[in-house]
Short mmCIF file of all heavy atoms in Angstrom, two decimals:
data_model
loop_
_atom_site.label_atom_id
_atom_site.label_comp_id
_atom_site.label_asym_id
_atom_site.label_seq_id
_atom_site.Cartn_x
_atom_site.Cartn_y
_atom_site.Cartn_z
N PRO F 68 -45.77 10.72 -16.76
CA PRO F 68 -44.53 10.40 -17.49
C PRO F 68 -44.66 10.69 -18.99
O PRO F 68 -45.63 10.30 -19.63
CB PRO F 68 -44.35 8.90 -17.22
CG PRO F 68 -45.01 8.69 -15.89
CD PRO F 68 -46.20 9.60 -15.90
N GLY F 69 -43.69 11.39 -19.52
CA GLY F 69 -43.67 11.73 -20.94
C GLY F 69 -44.25 13.10 -21.25
O GLY F 69 -43.91 13.70 -22.27
N GLU F 70 -45.14 13.60 -20.39
CA GLU F 70 -45.73 14.93 -20.60
C GLU F 70 -44.73 16.01 -20.20
O GLU F 70 -43.85 15.79 -19.37
CB GLU F 70 -47.00 15.09 -19.78
CG GLU F 70 -48.14 14.19 -20.20
CD GLU F 70 -49.38 14.35 -19.31
OE1 GLU F 70 -49.25 14.92 -18.20
OE2 GLU F 70 -50.45 13.89 -19.73
N LEU F 71 -44.88 17.20 -20.77
CA LEU F 71 -44.05 18.32 -20.37
C LEU F 71 -44.45 18.76 -18.96
O LEU F 71 -45.61 19.07 -18.70
CB LEU F 71 -44.22 19.50 -21.33
CG LEU F 71 -43.48 19.42 -22.67
CD1 LEU F 71 -43.76 20.68 -23.49
CD2 LEU F 71 -41.98 19.25 -22.47
N SER F 72 -43.49 18.79 -18.07
CA SER F 72 -43.74 19.21 -16.71
C SER F 72 -43.79 20.74 -16.63
O SER F 72 -43.02 21.43 -17.32
CB SER F 72 -42.65 18.69 -15.78
OG SER F 72 -42.74 19.29 -14.51
N VAL F 73 -44.68 21.26 -15.77
CA VAL F 73 -44.73 22.70 -15.52
C VAL F 73 -44.38 22.99 -14.06
O VAL F 73 -44.76 24.02 -13.50
CB VAL F 73 -46.11 23.29 -15.89
CG1 VAL F 73 -46.35 23.21 -17.38
CG2 VAL F 73 -47.24 22.59 -15.12
N ASP F 74 -43.63 22.08 -13.44
CA ASP F 74 -43.27 22.23 -12.03
C ASP F 74 -42.51 23.54 -11.77
O ASP F 74 -42.75 24.23 -10.78
CB ASP F 74 -42.42 21.05 -11.56
CG ASP F 74 -43.23 19.79 -11.35
OD1 ASP F 74 -44.45 19.80 -11.64
OD2 ASP F 74 -42.66 18.78 -10.90
N GLN F 75 -41.58 23.87 -12.68
CA GLN F 75 -40.80 25.10 -12.48
C GLN F 75 -41.69 26.33 -12.61
O GLN F 75 -41.50 27.32 -11.90
CB GLN F 75 -39.66 25.16 -13.49
CG GLN F 75 -38.61 24.09 -13.28
CD GLN F 75 -37.44 24.23 -14.23
OE1 GLN F 75 -36.86 25.29 -14.38
NE2 GLN F 75 -37.09 23.14 -14.91
N LEU F 76 -42.64 26.27 -13.51
CA LEU F 76 -43.59 27.38 -13.64
C LEU F 76 -44.42 27.53 -12.38
O LEU F 76 -44.66 28.65 -11.92
CB LEU F 76 -44.50 27.16 -14.85
CG LEU F 76 -45.55 28.23 -15.13
CD1 LEU F 76 -45.76 28.41 -16.62
CD2 LEU F 76 -46.89 27.89 -14.47
N ILE F 77 -44.87 26.42 -11.82
CA ILE F 77 -45.67 26.46 -10.60
C ILE F 77 -44.91 27.16 -9.48
O ILE F 77 -45.42 28.07 -8.82
CB ILE F 77 -46.07 25.03 -10.16
CG1 ILE F 77 -47.06 24.43 -11.15
CG2 ILE F 77 -46.66 25.04 -8.75
CD1 ILE F 77 -47.35 22.96 -10.92
N GLN F 78 -43.64 26.76 -9.28
CA GLN F 78 -42.86 27.36 -8.20
C GLN F 78 -42.59 28.83 -8.47
O GLN F 78 -42.66 29.66 -7.56
CB GLN F 78 -41.54 26.61 -8.02
CG GLN F 78 -40.78 27.01 -6.77
CD GLN F 78 -41.61 26.80 -5.50
OE1 GLN F 78 -42.03 25.69 -5.20
NE2 GLN F 78 -41.85 27.89 -4.75
N GLN F 79 -42.30 29.18 -9.72
CA GLN F 79 -42.06 30.58 -10.07
C GLN F 79 -43.30 31.42 -9.83
O GLN F 79 -43.23 32.53 -9.28
CB GLN F 79 -41.62 30.70 -11.53
CG GLN F 79 -41.38 32.12 -12.02
CD GLN F 79 -40.19 32.78 -11.36
OE1 GLN F 79 -39.26 32.10 -10.93
NE2 GLN F 79 -40.22 34.11 -11.23
N ALA F 80 -44.46 30.92 -10.23
CA ALA F 80 -45.71 31.65 -10.03
C ALA F 80 -46.01 31.84 -8.55
O ALA F 80 -46.47 32.91 -8.12
CB ALA F 80 -46.86 30.92 -10.72
N LEU F 81 -45.74 30.82 -7.74
CA LEU F 81 -45.92 30.95 -6.30
C LEU F 81 -45.00 32.02 -5.73
O LEU F 81 -45.40 32.84 -4.90
CB LEU F 81 -45.65 29.61 -5.61
CG LEU F 81 -46.70 28.51 -5.80
CD1 LEU F 81 -46.19 27.19 -5.22
CD2 LEU F 81 -48.03 28.88 -5.16
N ASP F 82 -43.74 32.01 -6.19
CA ASP F 82 -42.77 32.99 -5.71
C ASP F 82 -43.17 34.41 -6.10
O ASP F 82 -42.85 35.37 -5.39
CB ASP F 82 -41.38 32.68 -6.27
CG ASP F 82 -40.80 31.38 -5.72
OD1 ASP F 82 -41.31 30.90 -4.68
OD2 ASP F 82 -39.86 30.84 -6.33
N GLU F 83 -43.87 34.56 -7.23
CA GLU F 83 -44.31 35.87 -7.69
C GLU F 83 -45.58 36.34 -6.98
O GLU F 83 -46.03 37.46 -7.18
CB GLU F 83 -44.57 35.84 -9.20
CG GLU F 83 -43.31 35.68 -10.04
CD GLU F 83 -43.63 35.60 -11.52
OE1 GLU F 83 -44.80 35.83 -11.91
OE2 GLU F 83 -42.71 35.30 -12.31
N GLY F 84 -46.16 35.45 -6.18
CA GLY F 84 -47.37 35.82 -5.46
C GLY F 84 -48.66 35.55 -6.19
O GLY F 84 -49.74 35.96 -5.74
N LYS F 85 -48.59 34.85 -7.32
CA LYS F 85 -49.81 34.50 -8.03
C LYS F 85 -50.57 33.39 -7.30
O LYS F 85 -49.97 32.62 -6.54
CB LYS F 85 -49.48 34.03 -9.46
CG LYS F 85 -48.99 35.13 -10.40
CD LYS F 85 -48.75 34.59 -11.79
CE LYS F 85 -48.27 35.65 -12.76
NZ LYS F 85 -49.31 36.64 -13.08
N LYS F 86 -51.85 33.30 -7.55
CA LYS F 86 -52.65 32.20 -7.03
C LYS F 86 -52.45 31.00 -7.95
O LYS F 86 -52.68 31.10 -9.15
CB LYS F 86 -54.13 32.59 -6.96
CG LYS F 86 -54.44 33.73 -6.01
CD LYS F 86 -55.92 34.07 -6.06
CE LYS F 86 -56.25 35.24 -5.15
NZ LYS F 86 -57.69 35.61 -5.21
N VAL F 87 -52.03 29.90 -7.39
CA VAL F 87 -51.75 28.69 -8.18
C VAL F 87 -52.62 27.55 -7.65
O VAL F 87 -52.68 27.32 -6.44
CB VAL F 87 -50.27 28.30 -8.13
CG1 VAL F 87 -50.03 27.06 -8.99
CG2 VAL F 87 -49.39 29.45 -8.58
N PHE F 88 -53.28 26.86 -8.57
CA PHE F 88 -54.17 25.76 -8.22
C PHE F 88 -53.75 24.49 -8.95
O PHE F 88 -53.25 24.54 -10.08
CB PHE F 88 -55.61 26.10 -8.61
CG PHE F 88 -56.18 27.30 -7.93
CD1 PHE F 88 -55.85 28.59 -8.35
CD2 PHE F 88 -57.05 27.17 -6.85
CE1 PHE F 88 -56.38 29.71 -7.72
CE2 PHE F 88 -57.58 28.28 -6.21
CZ PHE F 88 -57.25 29.55 -6.65
N LEU F 89 -53.95 23.35 -8.31
CA LEU F 89 -53.69 22.04 -8.92
C LEU F 89 -54.96 21.20 -8.84
O LEU F 89 -55.77 21.36 -7.92
CB LEU F 89 -52.56 21.31 -8.20
CG LEU F 89 -51.13 21.68 -8.57
CD1 LEU F 89 -50.16 20.79 -7.80
CD2 LEU F 89 -50.88 21.55 -10.06
N PRO F 90 -55.15 20.28 -9.80
CA PRO F 90 -56.37 19.47 -9.81
C PRO F 90 -56.31 18.25 -8.91
O PRO F 90 -55.26 17.64 -8.73
CB PRO F 90 -56.48 19.05 -11.28
CG PRO F 90 -55.05 18.96 -11.74
CD PRO F 90 -54.32 20.06 -11.01
N LYS F 91 -57.46 17.93 -8.36
CA LYS F 91 -57.65 16.68 -7.63
C LYS F 91 -58.79 15.93 -8.32
O LYS F 91 -59.86 16.49 -8.54
CB LYS F 91 -58.01 16.94 -6.17
CG LYS F 91 -58.29 15.67 -5.36
CD LYS F 91 -58.58 16.00 -3.91
CE LYS F 91 -58.95 14.75 -3.12
NZ LYS F 91 -57.86 13.75 -3.12
N SER F 92 -58.54 14.68 -8.69
CA SER F 92 -59.52 13.89 -9.43
C SER F 92 -60.44 13.10 -8.50
O SER F 92 -60.02 12.65 -7.43
CB SER F 92 -58.80 12.91 -10.37
OG SER F 92 -57.99 13.60 -11.29
N TYR F 93 -61.68 12.94 -8.96
CA TYR F 93 -62.66 12.12 -8.25
C TYR F 93 -63.16 11.05 -9.23
O TYR F 93 -64.11 11.26 -9.99
CB TYR F 93 -63.81 12.99 -7.74
CG TYR F 93 -63.36 14.01 -6.72
CD1 TYR F 93 -62.98 15.29 -7.09
CD2 TYR F 93 -63.29 13.67 -5.37
CE1 TYR F 93 -62.54 16.23 -6.15
CE2 TYR F 93 -62.86 14.59 -4.41
CZ TYR F 93 -62.49 15.86 -4.82
OH TYR F 93 -62.05 16.78 -3.89
N PRO F 94 -62.49 9.90 -9.25
CA PRO F 94 -62.78 8.85 -10.24
C PRO F 94 -64.21 8.33 -10.24
O PRO F 94 -64.70 7.87 -11.27
CB PRO F 94 -61.79 7.74 -9.87
CG PRO F 94 -60.69 8.43 -9.14
CD PRO F 94 -61.36 9.53 -8.37
N ASP F 95 -64.89 8.39 -9.10
CA ASP F 95 -66.24 7.84 -9.02
C ASP F 95 -67.20 8.48 -10.03
O ASP F 95 -68.08 7.81 -10.58
CB ASP F 95 -66.81 8.01 -7.61
CG ASP F 95 -66.13 7.09 -6.61
OD1 ASP F 95 -65.43 6.16 -7.06
OD2 ASP F 95 -66.29 7.29 -5.39
N ASN F 96 -67.01 9.78 -10.27
CA ASN F 96 -67.88 10.45 -11.25
C ASN F 96 -67.08 11.17 -12.34
O ASN F 96 -67.60 12.03 -13.04
CB ASN F 96 -68.83 11.45 -10.56
CG ASN F 96 -68.07 12.51 -9.77
OD1 ASN F 96 -66.83 12.52 -9.73
ND2 ASN F 96 -68.81 13.41 -9.16
N CYS F 97 -65.80 10.81 -12.45
CA CYS F 97 -64.92 11.37 -13.48
C CYS F 97 -64.94 12.91 -13.48
O CYS F 97 -65.05 13.55 -14.53
CB CYS F 97 -65.31 10.85 -14.87
SG CYS F 97 -64.98 9.10 -15.11
N SER F 98 -64.85 13.46 -12.28
CA SER F 98 -64.82 14.91 -12.15
C SER F 98 -63.53 15.33 -11.46
O SER F 98 -62.78 14.48 -10.94
CB SER F 98 -66.03 15.41 -11.35
OG SER F 98 -65.93 14.99 -10.00
N MET F 99 -63.25 16.62 -11.45
CA MET F 99 -62.10 17.11 -10.72
C MET F 99 -62.35 18.54 -10.26
O MET F 99 -63.17 19.25 -10.83
CB MET F 99 -60.81 17.02 -11.55
CG MET F 99 -60.76 17.89 -12.77
SD MET F 99 -59.20 17.63 -13.66
CE MET F 99 -59.35 18.88 -14.94
N GLU F 100 -61.63 18.91 -9.21
CA GLU F 100 -61.66 20.26 -8.68
C GLU F 100 -60.21 20.73 -8.52
O GLU F 100 -59.30 19.92 -8.36
CB GLU F 100 -62.37 20.31 -7.32
CG GLU F 100 -63.82 19.90 -7.34
CD GLU F 100 -64.73 20.90 -8.02
OE1 GLU F 100 -64.28 22.04 -8.29
OE2 GLU F 100 -65.91 20.54 -8.28
N PHE F 101 -60.04 22.04 -8.57
CA PHE F 101 -58.70 22.62 -8.39
C PHE F 101 -58.62 23.26 -7.01
O PHE F 101 -59.53 23.98 -6.59
CB PHE F 101 -58.42 23.66 -9.47
CG PHE F 101 -57.99 23.07 -10.78
CD1 PHE F 101 -58.91 22.39 -11.58
CD2 PHE F 101 -56.68 23.18 -11.22
CE1 PHE F 101 -58.52 21.84 -12.80
CE2 PHE F 101 -56.28 22.63 -12.43
CZ PHE F 101 -57.20 21.96 -13.22
N TYR F 102 -57.49 23.01 -6.32
CA TYR F 102 -57.29 23.54 -4.98
C TYR F 102 -56.01 24.39 -4.93
O TYR F 102 -55.00 24.05 -5.57
CB TYR F 102 -57.20 22.41 -3.96
CG TYR F 102 -58.50 21.64 -3.84
CD1 TYR F 102 -58.75 20.53 -4.62
CD2 TYR F 102 -59.50 22.06 -2.94
CE1 TYR F 102 -59.95 19.83 -4.53
CE2 TYR F 102 -60.70 21.37 -2.84
CZ TYR F 102 -60.92 20.26 -3.64
OH TYR F 102 -62.11 19.57 -3.55
N GLN F 103 -56.07 25.47 -4.17
CA GLN F 103 -54.98 26.44 -4.15
C GLN F 103 -53.79 25.96 -3.33
O GLN F 103 -53.95 25.35 -2.27
CB GLN F 103 -55.49 27.77 -3.58
CG GLN F 103 -54.47 28.90 -3.67
CD GLN F 103 -55.06 30.25 -3.26
OE1 GLN F 103 -56.25 30.36 -3.02
NE2 GLN F 103 -54.21 31.26 -3.19
N LEU F 104 -52.60 26.28 -3.85
CA LEU F 104 -51.36 26.01 -3.11
C LEU F 104 -51.00 27.24 -2.28
O LEU F 104 -51.36 28.37 -2.62
CB LEU F 104 -50.23 25.69 -4.09
CG LEU F 104 -50.43 24.49 -5.01
CD1 LEU F 104 -49.25 24.34 -5.96
CD2 LEU F 104 -50.64 23.21 -4.21
N GLU F 105 -50.25 27.02 -1.22
CA GLU F 105 -49.79 28.11 -0.37
C GLU F 105 -48.54 28.74 -0.99
O GLU F 105 -47.62 28.04 -1.40
CB GLU F 105 -49.46 27.59 1.03
CG GLU F 105 -50.65 27.00 1.78
CD GLU F 105 -51.63 28.06 2.23
OE1 GLU F 105 -51.26 29.25 2.23
OE2 GLU F 105 -52.76 27.69 2.60
N ASN F 106 -48.48 30.07 -1.02
CA ASN F 106 -47.35 30.75 -1.64
C ASN F 106 -46.07 30.66 -0.82
O ASN F 106 -44.97 30.71 -1.37
CB ASN F 106 -47.69 32.22 -1.89
CG ASN F 106 -48.74 32.40 -2.96
OD1 ASN F 106 -49.93 32.29 -2.69
ND2 ASN F 106 -48.33 32.66 -4.19
N HIS F 107 -46.20 30.50 0.49
CA HIS F 107 -45.02 30.53 1.35
C HIS F 107 -44.39 29.16 1.55
O HIS F 107 -43.36 29.05 2.23
CB HIS F 107 -45.38 31.13 2.73
CG HIS F 107 -46.34 30.29 3.51
ND1 HIS F 107 -47.71 30.30 3.28
CD2 HIS F 107 -46.13 29.40 4.52
CE1 HIS F 107 -48.30 29.47 4.11
NE2 HIS F 107 -47.38 28.90 4.86
N LEU F 108 -44.97 28.12 0.96
CA LEU F 108 -44.42 26.77 1.09
C LEU F 108 -43.94 26.26 -0.27
O LEU F 108 -44.54 26.57 -1.29
CB LEU F 108 -45.48 25.81 1.63
CG LEU F 108 -45.95 26.03 3.07
CD1 LEU F 108 -47.09 25.06 3.39
CD2 LEU F 108 -44.80 25.84 4.04
N PRO F 109 -42.86 25.47 -0.30
CA PRO F 109 -42.42 24.87 -1.57
C PRO F 109 -43.53 24.00 -2.16
O PRO F 109 -44.22 23.28 -1.44
CB PRO F 109 -41.21 24.02 -1.17
CG PRO F 109 -40.72 24.64 0.11
CD PRO F 109 -41.95 25.14 0.81
N TYR F 110 -43.67 24.08 -3.46
CA TYR F 110 -44.71 23.31 -4.16
C TYR F 110 -44.64 21.83 -3.84
O TYR F 110 -45.66 21.18 -3.58
CB TYR F 110 -44.56 23.58 -5.66
CG TYR F 110 -45.08 22.50 -6.58
CD1 TYR F 110 -46.41 22.09 -6.52
CD2 TYR F 110 -44.25 21.90 -7.52
CE1 TYR F 110 -46.89 21.11 -7.36
CE2 TYR F 110 -44.73 20.93 -8.37
CZ TYR F 110 -46.05 20.52 -8.29
OH TYR F 110 -46.52 19.55 -9.12
N THR F 111 -43.44 21.27 -3.82
CA THR F 111 -43.28 19.82 -3.65
C THR F 111 -43.73 19.34 -2.27
O THR F 111 -43.98 18.15 -2.08
CB THR F 111 -41.82 19.41 -3.88
OG1 THR F 111 -40.97 20.20 -3.03
CG2 THR F 111 -41.42 19.63 -5.34
#
Side-chain angles (χ1 to χ4, degrees):
E70 295 177 343
L71 281 181
S72 169
V73 294
D74 285 5
Q75 293 184 51
L76 180 145
I77 292 171
Q78 190 58 59
Q79 178 67 28
L81 288 172
D82 292 343
E83 291 178 9
K85 290 182 180 291
K86 296 178 182 178
V87 181
F88 299 79
L89 278 183
K91 177 177 176 61
S92 300
Y93 296 92
D95 289 347
N96 59 0
C97 292
S98 68
M99 65 181 185
E100 298 289 348
F101 280 71
Y102 295 91
Q103 187 173 354
L104 301 178
E105 298 288 345
N106 291 83
H107 65 280
L108 293 175
Y110 155 58
T111 54

